[in-house]
Amino acid sequence: MSAEPTPRREVVTGVPRRVRPLPRHRTQSEIDEQTALGGAYVRSLMRSQLRAGLTAFTALALVAGTLPLVFTTLRSGAVVWAALGFAAYPPITLLAWWYVRRAERNERDFARLVEGRPAP
């Protein structure tokens, strides 16, 4: 073993002289520059959001469209109001919940694609 002292470590605590920009992902720059590939990415997001919206609208039309049939078969004012006031809201609420979750998932998948992160 040698008797030489270990070199002292110096810590620099100054302000950085130059701030480097964060590295941009290629996909994000494609979208920002509005290239054909970036346009395809945005169209893909819009298409998936439109598909979710049309699915929710179709389900809502089925729920709302069957209500007149239910009303004509019931022929009772109290039961009609009960069906309109209570039975119609749970499916509509579930449909709204599904649509919001689907739209957020589409946006999360798009952001993951843009940022270059792998799918979980």
Side-chain angles (χ1 to χ4, degrees):
M1 302 258 151
S2 67
E4 295 177 18
T6 58
R8 224 176 82 180
R9 296 186 83 179
E10 298 292 329
V11 178
V12 179
T13 59
V15 178
R17 295 179 186 247
R18 187 177 71 156
V19 177
R20 293 182 185 171
L22 294 174
R24 296 187 63 169
H25 300 286
R26 183 169 186 259
T27 308
Q28 187 176 0
S29 64
E30 293 284 340
I31 293 170
D32 290 343
E33 294 171 4
Q34 297 179 355
T35 62
L37 181 60
Y41 285 134
V42 172
R43 277 192 308 276
S44 171
L45 172 66
M46 293 178 70
R47 191 171 32 251
S48 62
Q49 294 289 50
L50 179 65
R51 188 178 312 117
L54 289 176
T55 303
F57 177 74
T58 303
L60 178 64
L62 287 175
V63 170
T66 58
L67 284 177
L69 296 174
V70 172
F71 296 159
T72 57
T73 58
L74 294 176
R75 297 185 191 260
S76 170
V79 177
V80 168
W81 281 107
L84 186 60
F86 297 109
Y89 284 106
I92 292 172
T93 303
L94 287 174
L95 181 64
W97 174 79
W98 174 84
Y99 174 73
V100 168
R101 285 186 47 99
R102 183 66 186 187
E104 288 175 350
R105 185 174 128 200
N106 288 341
E107 290 175 5
R108 196 170 40 249
D109 290 346
F110 181 74
R112 186 179 305 119
L113 174 71
V114 168
E115 293 168 359
R117 292 183 287 148

